[in-house]
Amino acid sequence: MRGLPLRRLVTVATLAAVGTATLGATAACGEDSGAGAASGPVTLRLGYFPHITHAPAVVGVEKGIFAEKLGGDVELDTKTFNAGPAAIEAVFSGALDATYIGPNPTVNAFSKSKGEAVRVVSGAASGGVALVVKPGITSVEQLRGKKIATPQLGNTQDVALRYWLKEKGLETTKEGGGDVKVVPQENAQTVETFGSGAIDGAWVPEPFVSRLVNAGGKVLVDERDLWPDKKFVITNLLVSTKFLKAHPDVVKKLVEGQVAANEFVNSKPDEAQQAVSDHIGKITGKPLDLKLIKQAWPTLEFTNDPIPASLKAGLDHAVAVGLTQPVDLNGLYDLKYLNEVLKTQGKAEVSQP
């Protein structure tokens, strides 16, 4: 990583630190974030999560892939996060130029900045999400009156659960009422509450799906089965519009790094899995169990396609369950550089929505 120290894990408390530079500061897209403002090397500030679903980012940093593709004229400054809102606030405040992020925070960032602050320039991963329940629950009807956890009210998995339940005729409320009691809580807490019997199941991403299964749960719904071709975006690569306009050459190099990282992840899975374990250990102080990574890995597809149709469908689902208002997503995607990179390498290009 070009000799730069790894950043400590940024918690949701980051919202307090950067946060009062709130959405009103979406004007950050019109203010100088400092990137490249002075003469000399450009600094690219890249955010990502130390999660399996962000494996291309984790591997890209750990194996020096991004640093190699960016070259000597670009200084790579990485920051890690554990929540989408914190990463988006960092983009809005000018503390980040690009970040790996999930679909729901992507939509929120685009909407709150009125389509000005951010652009999706590549996909990263698909899949890796499931509803895990107690073994005695074998049907959706048996969820009536049960408590099911999600990572956060209104987050991507929360929307997926509520919409699926609605499609099955079961109602939920933001306050945790209705036919099924939805209980938003941090994923690490969910493992504990599932084990203690305080909840009956959870709609979560990997590696928490595997952790819950190992704690005695069973998969009732693999979310891949709910999507066309079993594909839906779980992670994409977002850049600040200001940085994109100021440094399109750097963004193209970053996209080259993303494509190369996915090539590594897909062609050398064992080495990539070890890199994920090691890198998470460097950040958190405890490597992620390699057996757990190998267990979760097959549920994910690492793809450069951001699968825009699934992001739009997810937004429609959030509207349907009353968690957000309709958003015009026109202009969110800028896949020009991705397709240039893919074409140069003789790979199939992705569709620009």
Side-chain angles (χ1 to χ4, degrees):
M1 205 174 69
R2 304 186 61 78
L4 291 174
L6 289 170
R7 300 301 193 259
R8 291 179 300 172
L9 186 65
V10 177
T11 67
V12 180
T14 305
L15 288 170
V18 279
T20 52
T22 56
L23 307 172
T26 53
C29 65
E31 297 172 359
D32 189 359
S33 67
S39 59
V42 174
T43 296
L44 170 64
R45 294 160 298 184
L46 177 66
Y48 63 99
F49 296 11
H51 295 172
I52 295 177
T53 54
H54 286 229
V58 174
V59 171
V61 173
E62 175 67 17
K63 305 301 288 187
I65 296 171
F66 292 135
E68 177 187 351
K69 295 298 181 181
L70 290 169
D73 293 332
V74 181
E75 198 71 33
L76 178 63
D77 181 7
T78 63
K79 296 178 172 65
T80 54
F81 297 81
N82 65 5
I88 292 302
E89 288 293 344
V91 173
F92 282 162
S93 73
L96 281 184
D97 302 307
T99 188
Y100 284 82
I101 199 81
N104 199 63
T106 297
V107 170
N108 287 342
F110 190 75
S111 172
K112 291 172 181 176
S113 68
K114 302 187 185 304
E116 295 295 327
V118 298
R119 295 291 183 268
V120 173
V121 294
S122 178
S126 166
V129 181
L131 170 60
V132 183
V133 297
K134 292 179 177 178
I137 298 174
T138 59
S139 69
V140 62
E141 185 58 33
Q142 288 179 295
L143 294 175
R144 190 179 296 274
K146 299 295 193 295
K147 292 182 179 180
I148 305 297
T150 62
Q152 185 180 48
L153 175 64
N155 97 312
T156 306
Q157 287 79 52
D158 188 71
V159 168
L161 169 63
R162 293 174 189 272
Y163 183 76
W164 179 74
L165 290 171
K166 182 179 177 66
E167 289 288 285
K168 300 298 183 180
L170 297 174
E171 295 299 321
T172 63
T173 70
K174 296 178 184 178
E175 298 74 26
D179 299 318
V180 179
K181 320 300 181 185
V182 179
V183 185
Q185 56 189 225
E186 291 187 7
N187 290 326
Q189 181 185 0
T190 292
V191 177
E192 298 174 4
T193 53
F194 185 77
S196 70
I199 60 171
D200 302 289
W203 195 294
V204 288
E206 290 287 10
F208 299 98
V209 171
S210 295
R211 282 178 168 164
L212 293 176
V213 169
N214 293 346
K218 72 170 188 178
V219 173
L220 184 65
V221 180
D222 182 331
E223 193 175 336
R224 292 177 296 177
D225 295 335
L226 306 181
W227 293 93
D229 300 322
K230 295 182 179 291
K231 297 179 185 291
F232 65 98
V233 61
I234 187 67
T235 309
N236 48 218
L237 177 56
L238 193 76
V239 300
S240 155
T241 306
K242 178 175 177 58
F243 190 88
L244 176 60
K245 291 178 178 178
H247 304 289
D249 55 329
V250 176
V251 172
K252 183 175 181 179
K253 291 177 181 178
L254 174 61
V255 171
E256 288 177 351
Q258 156 57 33
V259 172
N262 258 357
E263 178 69 24
F264 187 101
V265 166
N266 287 316
S267 63
K268 301 177 180 179
D270 290 341
E271 193 173 342
Q273 290 160 14
Q274 186 65 60
V276 169
S277 177
D278 293 343
H279 193 76
I280 290 176
K282 292 176 183 178
I283 294 171
T284 66
K286 183 179 180 181
L288 187 59
D289 185 355
L290 190 58
K291 291 182 179 179
L292 191 68
I293 296 174
K294 290 183 178 295
Q295 181 180 346
W297 204 261
T299 70
L300 286 152
E301 178 182 355
F302 300 104
T303 173
N304 300 306
D305 187 347
I307 322 174
S310 70
L311 183 138
K312 175 60 168 63
L315 171 60
D316 293 342
H317 297 169
V319 172
V321 297
L323 291 178
T324 191
Q325 297 297 315
V327 178
D328 182 358
L329 297 178
N330 184 46
L332 171 60
Y333 293 90
D334 187 346
L335 305 180
K336 176 175 65 176
Y337 299 115
L338 174 60
N339 281 326
E340 286 179 3
V341 172
L342 294 175
K343 184 176 180 179
T344 299
Q345 298 183 9
K347 299 177 180 178
E349 297 177 43
V350 301
S351 298
Q352 171 76 47

